[in-house]
Every structure is written in structure tokens, then in C-alpha cells.
């Protein structure tokens, strides 16, 4: 779907595509439908009611949903100087597209008018000459600066530094964790705690958190025996607009004693699907009899004895309205060369319950830089990874359910030379990560340390 000469909507991939830079922005289902509605009424004012009907058909949503959707669309359109998404107070929104040819014509006319007006007096003539001298001097300074910058850019280009610099700046520009809200709730007659993670681009309206914890598990049933009432539970959740992920430790004291935390993903825009936890536990037990994903411990070469390697392992399950669950067997392995630098290997094998064989496998590795920050009392570790090796096994056939992660890996992992991986919790036996699976997915992983 064409918006402008250089901007289109890839309806199949649900992406906003800049043809000049080939940059892609993933759109949630609501963002896609709202944007399509605005594009079909370019220049007109579209009411909030009409946009709500387009983005959330048959659903009653809070006013903040449309506001947040528009905020997200503006961020994804920020590089498009010829497009403006206007807010019409108390009514709706309008998508305005400026003709760049008209702008250039107006600028030419303005320049013609300004040069046609000449000062008539001697004082005016002197002032005019002085102004021209100042303009010429400023032009020389600008050109000199541009020449120096061009030299620096050419040097960086041939040394390979330009690409790294551009990639690193793009990496830093990615949304960061803005808040981690925490809420107590009762689950299976047990006092529990849920922490919800928000990025910069997301709303952190705590007034909407009152029912969110109950809604997370409202579709679960037959969990009384699997998730015992005798132990405290902690959950971390993240909703990226397309997928909602939940990482649950079933036995939490001062640390997570659960060796197999429950990690679940579902499509956020789809109707809530009932989930039989007992059936899932039986399915997990069968699928996890085979472990396809093994990172060799000798992947890291070091001459120093006593170096400790951190290895994290987790199983993540995507479920929908079918009985076919998709399993991602995830491994994360790293060693530190210093307090904030080291090497990392990440790998995932994806299978599903229908094929029961390896369908997708990917791995990437490289050096990382670690940045730490304190957000809402929680230590957040951000690993900026320079990817130097990657591999991908493309499946011969993909089920409808496993296609969800196949598209995400192709789009968000394989094309990136730098990756951002975040950790929002760690103890001696486990860690909670945001990993590149279904978008960014919350994963509670079991931790082991190995001396090399």
C-alpha cells in the first residue's frame, strides 16, 4: 500500500517500509489498520470513533489506546519530513502529505523576490555589501567544515569505522527500558508479585495496571496441581504490541528455586485463548525429551585458567487457538574479559508439536559492551553486542504457528550487525532476559556457571 513515492506499507509483513533507506518498522495490528484508515482519507479529518472502529473492531478500548497508537506511529514516521500526523483537538486526527515539489517551488520564488529587492540608498548599499561579505564568509566556513567532515567520513569508510559508528549510533537510538511497575496479586491462593516492563515508546499509565495481573492468567485453567499453591510466585511480563510474553518462577523465595520456569508467548491482538496448563505441562514433558540446542563450552578460547562462563538455558512456548504449540529451546552463554566487556553466544532451536522435528535454528555471537542502570529499584543490564558470526537453518516447511517466529527472526535478527539484549533480574540460579524471539520476549532462564 503506497503512502508516498518513497514510503509504503508491506501488508504481508505488516511493516512500514522506507524505500530510500530500506528501513522497516513493524506495525501492530491496531497501528496497521489505523494507518490504513488515515491513508485512505489523506488530508481529511478522521474522527476518533472511526479510528477506534478501524483499529479495534468490535472491542471497547480506553481512550489512551488510540493516543498511544498515534504516539507510536509518529515515532515510526519521524524520518518522513513530508508527512505530518496532526491532532485535531476533541475530534480526531489527520494525515497530511506535503508535496516536496511545491516546497522547492516556494523556496525558489522566495529567493527570487529577495534578490530582486535592491537597497536604493548609499547607506543601504553599504549595509547590503556588508551583509553579502558576511554571507560569503559564512559560506566559506560552512564549505571548509563540510570538506573536513567529508575527509573524516572517507577515512572512516575505507577503514571500516564508518559502518561501525553508524550502527552503534542506531543501536543507542533504540528504545530503552523506561519503567518496571510492580504489583501484588493472589494466584492459586498464594501471594504473588508481577513486574511489567515498559520501553520508552510505551505508556506507563499505572491506572490500567489494577486488572492487568488478573488478566494475564484469566485464560489459564487446570493449573492447581502444576503450579502448586504452597510456593510464592513471581512474574515478569512484556507486551510489544504484537506479542505478549510472561516469564513465571513457580518457586520464589529470596531467589528463584524453580529449575524450569514457565515462559509463555501469545499474540497480543488476538482474542484471549483458553490455556490448559496441565495439558501444556504434559506437552512440555514430551517435547523436552529431546534437546537440540547445545552450545559447546569450548566455543570460547582463553589462555587464562579460572575464567567463569555464565550459561543460561530456557524453554519458551508460543500458544494460540490451536493445539500446536511452538517451542524455542534457548541458550545464552558469555564470559567477561573485564567488568563491562566480554564475549557472548546466543542460540535458539524452534520446533513445534505437529512437526516434532527441528524446523528453525539460529545462532549469533560477538563481543559485547555492558551498560548498567537502576530502574524502579531494579538493576537493568543492557548488552550491546557486535555480531561477528551468525548462522540460520531455514526450514523446508513451516506451520502457521511457527511462521510467527520465523518472520521475526528473519526481520529482526539476521539483518542486524548489532544486537541489544537486556537482563532485568539475576540471582545465583537464574536470570530474566528480554531476548530476540517473538520481537523482544521475556524469558526466565536457569543459570549455571562453568569454570574454563
Amino acid at each position: 500500500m503506497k503512502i508516498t513515492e518513497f514510503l509504503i506499507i508491506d501488508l504481508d509483513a505488516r511493516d512500514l517500509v522506507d524505500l530510500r533507506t530500506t528501513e522497516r518498522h513493524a506495525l501492530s495490528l491496531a497501528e496497521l489498520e489505523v494507518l490504513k484508515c488515515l491513508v485512505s482519507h489523506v488530508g481529511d479529518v478522521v474522527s476518533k470513533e472511526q479510528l477506534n472502529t478501524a483499529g479495534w473492531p468490535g472491542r471497547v478500548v480506553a481512550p489512551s489506546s488510540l493516543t498511544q497508537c498515534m504516539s507510536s506511529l509518529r515515532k515510526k514516521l519521524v524520518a518522513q519530513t513530508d508527512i505530518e500526523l496532526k491532532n485535531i483537538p476533541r475530534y480526531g486526527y489527520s494525515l497530511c502529505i506535503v508535496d516536496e515539489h511545491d516546497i522547492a517551488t516556494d523556496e525558489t520564488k522566495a529567493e527570487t523576490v529577495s534578490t530582486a529587492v535592491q537597497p536604493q540608498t548609499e547607506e543601504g548599499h553599504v549595509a547590503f555589501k556588508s551583509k553579502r561579505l558576511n554571507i560569503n564568509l559564512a559560506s566559506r566556513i560552512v564549505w571548509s567544515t563540510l570538506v573536513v567532515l567529508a575527509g573524516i567520513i572517507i577515512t572512516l569508510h575505507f577503514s571500516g569505522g564508518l559502518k561501525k559508528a553508524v550502527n552503534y549510533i542506531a543501536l543507542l537510538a533504540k528504545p530503552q527500558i523506561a519503567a518496571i511497575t510492580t504489583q501484588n496479586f493472589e494466584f492459586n491462593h498464594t501471594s504473588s508479585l508481577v513486574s511489567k516492563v515498559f520501553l520508552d515508546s510505551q505508556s506507563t499509565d499505572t491506572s490500567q495496571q489494577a486488572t492487568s495481573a488478573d488478566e494475564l492468567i484469566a485464560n489459564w485453567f487446570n493449573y492447581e496441581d502444576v503450579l502448586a499453591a504452597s510456593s510464592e510466585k513471581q512474574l515478569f511480563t512484556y507486551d510489544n504490541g504484537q506479542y505478549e510474553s510472561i516469564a513465571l518462577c513457580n518457586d520464589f523465595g529470596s531467589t528463584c528455586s524453580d529449575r524450569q520456569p514457565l515462559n509463555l508467548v501469545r499474540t497480543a491482538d488476538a482474542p484471549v485463548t483458553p490455556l490448559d496448563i496441565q495439558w501444556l505441562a504434559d506437552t512440555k514433558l514430551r517435547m523436552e525429551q529431546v534437546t537440540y540446542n547445545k552450545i559447546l563450552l569450548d566455543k570460547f578460547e582463553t589462555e587464562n585458567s579460572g575464567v567463569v562462563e555464565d550459561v543460561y538455558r530456557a524453554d519458551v512456548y508460543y500458544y494460540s487457538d490451536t493445539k500446536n504449540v511452538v517451542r524455542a529451546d534457548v541458550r545464552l552463554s558469555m564470559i567477561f574479559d573485564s567488568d563491562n566487556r566480554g564475549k557472548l553466544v546466543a542460540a535458539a532451536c524452534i520446533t513445534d508439536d505437529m512437526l516434532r522435528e527441528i524446523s528453525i535454528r539460529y545462532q549469533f555471537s560477538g563481543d559485547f559492551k555492558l551498560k548498567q542502570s537502576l530502574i524502579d529499584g531494579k538493576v537493568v543490564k543492557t548488552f550491546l553486542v557486535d555480531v561477528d558470526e551468525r548462522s540460520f537453518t531455514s526450514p523446508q516447511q513451516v506451520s502457521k504457528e511457527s511462521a510467527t517466529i520465523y518472520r521475526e527472526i528473519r526481520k529482526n535478527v539476521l539483518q542486524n550487525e548489532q544486537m541489544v539484549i537486556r537482563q532485568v533480574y539475576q540471582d545465583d540460579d537464574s536470570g530474566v532476559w528480554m531476548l530476540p524471539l517473538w520481537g523482544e520476549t521475556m524469558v526466565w532462564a536457569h543459570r549455571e556457571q562453568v569454570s574454563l
Side-chain angles (χ1 to χ4, degrees):
M1 184 175 187
K2 183 177 180 180
I3 301 178
T4 67
E5 183 180 359
F6 300 105
L7 186 68
I8 64 170
I9 302 174
D10 186 340
L11 297 175
D12 293 331
R14 203 194 297 169
D15 284 347
L16 189 64
V17 185
D18 189 327
L19 299 178
R20 287 171 293 194
T21 64
T22 70
E23 184 178 7
R24 288 176 171 262
H25 292 287
L27 298 171
S28 67
L29 184 58
E31 291 172 352
L32 173 66
E33 296 303 325
V34 166
L35 185 56
K36 284 168 58 180
C37 184
L38 289 167
V39 171
S40 62
H41 298 85
V42 169
D44 297 332
V45 179
V46 185
S47 69
K48 294 180 181 179
E49 292 76 14
Q50 188 174 351
L51 292 172
N52 280 328
T53 300
W56 299 270
R59 294 171 56 187
V60 177
V61 295
S64 59
S65 297
L66 181 58
T67 304
Q68 183 176 337
C69 178
M70 288 300 174
S71 175
S72 179
L73 285 175
R74 283 195 178 99
K75 291 180 185 296
K76 294 170 183 179
L77 290 167
V78 69
Q80 309 301 320
T81 56
D82 55 342
I83 294 180
E84 184 178 1
L85 189 53
K86 293 184 177 180
N87 177 22
I88 311 302
R90 297 185 298 278
Y91 188 77
Y93 295 84
S94 177
L95 184 70
C96 300
I97 300 177
V98 181
D99 191 329
E100 294 182 352
H101 174 73
D102 292 343
I103 295 176
T105 302
D106 291 342
E107 289 177 348
T108 302
K109 289 179 180 178
E111 185 178 349
T112 302
V113 171
S114 65
T115 54
V117 179
Q118 298 292 333
Q120 300 299 318
T121 66
E122 185 176 347
E123 290 182 358
H125 184 68
V126 171
F128 182 68
K129 287 183 66 178
S130 176
K131 188 176 292 186
R132 286 184 61 188
L133 289 173
N134 289 336
I135 292 173
N136 290 336
L137 178 61
S139 298
R140 291 194 186 98
I141 294 174
V142 170
W143 277 109
S144 298
T145 304
L146 290 175
V147 170
V148 172
L149 287 175
I152 294 173
I153 291 173
I154 291 171
T155 302
L156 287 173
H157 172 72
F158 285 106
S159 66
L162 178 60
K163 189 175 184 180
K164 290 182 179 179
V166 171
N167 288 334
Y168 188 70
I169 292 172
L171 196 67
L172 295 178
K174 289 189 176 182
Q176 302 297 312
I177 293 179
I180 303 176
T181 63
T182 302
Q183 175 190 354
N184 291 300
F185 75 109
E186 188 172 300
F187 176 57
N188 198 13
H189 310 292
T190 305
S191 177
S192 304
L193 196 69
V194 58
S195 297
K196 193 165 186 177
V197 177
F198 296 88
L199 297 187
D200 292 333
S201 56
Q202 297 176 304
S203 168
T204 56
D205 184 3
T206 55
S207 65
Q208 299 182 26
Q209 299 304 307
T211 58
S212 62
D214 294 331
E215 289 175 352
L216 290 173
I217 59 173
N219 64 320
W220 297 3
F221 64 97
N222 286 344
Y223 54 74
E224 290 80 3
D225 295 333
V226 179
L227 305 175
S230 58
S231 56
E232 180 183 347
K233 294 159 182 58
Q234 284 216 22
L235 295 83
F236 279 83
T237 73
Y238 175 64
D239 184 345
N240 63 16
Q242 288 183 275
Y243 302 101
E244 180 183 72
S245 56
I246 300 174
L248 182 152
C249 174
N250 187 43
D251 185 7
F252 192 91
S254 57
T255 62
C256 179
S257 302
D258 188 353
R259 292 184 62 86
Q260 289 186 315
L262 181 62
N263 299 297
L264 296 176
V265 184
R266 69 179 182 89
T267 302
D269 293 331
V272 175
T273 302
L275 179 62
D276 186 338
I277 297 297
Q278 182 62 63
W279 167 82
L280 178 65
D282 295 339
T283 302
K284 276 168 48 63
L285 185 63
R286 184 183 70 252
M287 294 183 73
E288 291 171 13
Q289 296 301 311
V290 180
T291 299
Y292 300 106
N293 191 5
K294 294 182 179 179
I295 296 177
L296 300 178
L297 297 181
D298 59 358
K299 168 69 179 178
F300 298 122
E301 297 180 1
T302 176
E303 298 178 355
N304 300 321
S305 60
V307 172
V308 176
E309 179 180 5
D310 271 339
V311 181
Y312 293 86
R313 185 194 177 281
D315 287 293
V316 188
Y317 288 86
Y318 170 85
Y319 68 98
S320 62
D321 56 351
T322 72
K323 284 296 183 180
N324 184 26
V325 294
V326 180
R327 172 197 178 199
D329 178 5
V330 180
R331 297 291 178 97
L332 192 65
S333 184
M334 65 185 68
I335 60 169
F336 283 83
D337 298 329
S338 63
D339 290 341
N340 59 358
R341 292 177 181 270
K343 297 179 178 60
L344 177 145
V345 179
C349 287
I350 293 90
T351 59
D352 64 37
D353 193 34
M354 287 185 177
L355 297 177
R356 299 186 186 180
E357 61 184 17
I358 298 178
S359 58
I360 304 169
R361 188 182 192 281
Y362 81 88
Q363 178 172 312
F364 64 87
S365 62
D367 296 333
F368 68 78
K369 299 174 184 176
L370 171 63
K371 295 172 58 180
Q372 296 193 66
S373 55
L374 191 65
I375 300 176
D376 293 332
K378 292 181 172 59
V379 176
V380 174
K381 298 179 180 179
T382 302
F383 294 81
L384 307 176
V385 185
D386 290 321
V387 179
D388 55 27
E389 290 185 28
R390 64 166 59 87
S391 62
F392 177 71
T393 302
S394 182
Q396 293 183 349
Q397 59 178 341
V398 179
S399 64
K400 172 186 174 183
E401 295 77 15
S402 60
T404 60
I405 189 171
Y406 176 75
R407 287 193 298 268
E408 291 297 325
I409 293 172
R410 294 281 300 178
K411 180 172 59 178
N412 296 324
V413 177
L414 299 181
Q415 297 179 2
N416 295 334
E417 296 187 1
Q418 276 75 30
M419 298 292 296
V420 176
I421 298 179
R422 301 181 180 92
Q423 185 190 67
V424 297
Y425 170 81
Q426 179 181 300
D427 57 41
D428 290 341
D429 300 317
S430 71
V432 179
W433 296 83
M434 296 180 75
L435 298 179
L437 295 166
W438 287 267
E440 289 196 86
T441 300
M442 198 65 66
V443 177
W444 205 317
H446 177 67
R447 180 191 185 200
E448 294 182 358
Q449 291 187 302
V450 180
S451 294
L452 300 180

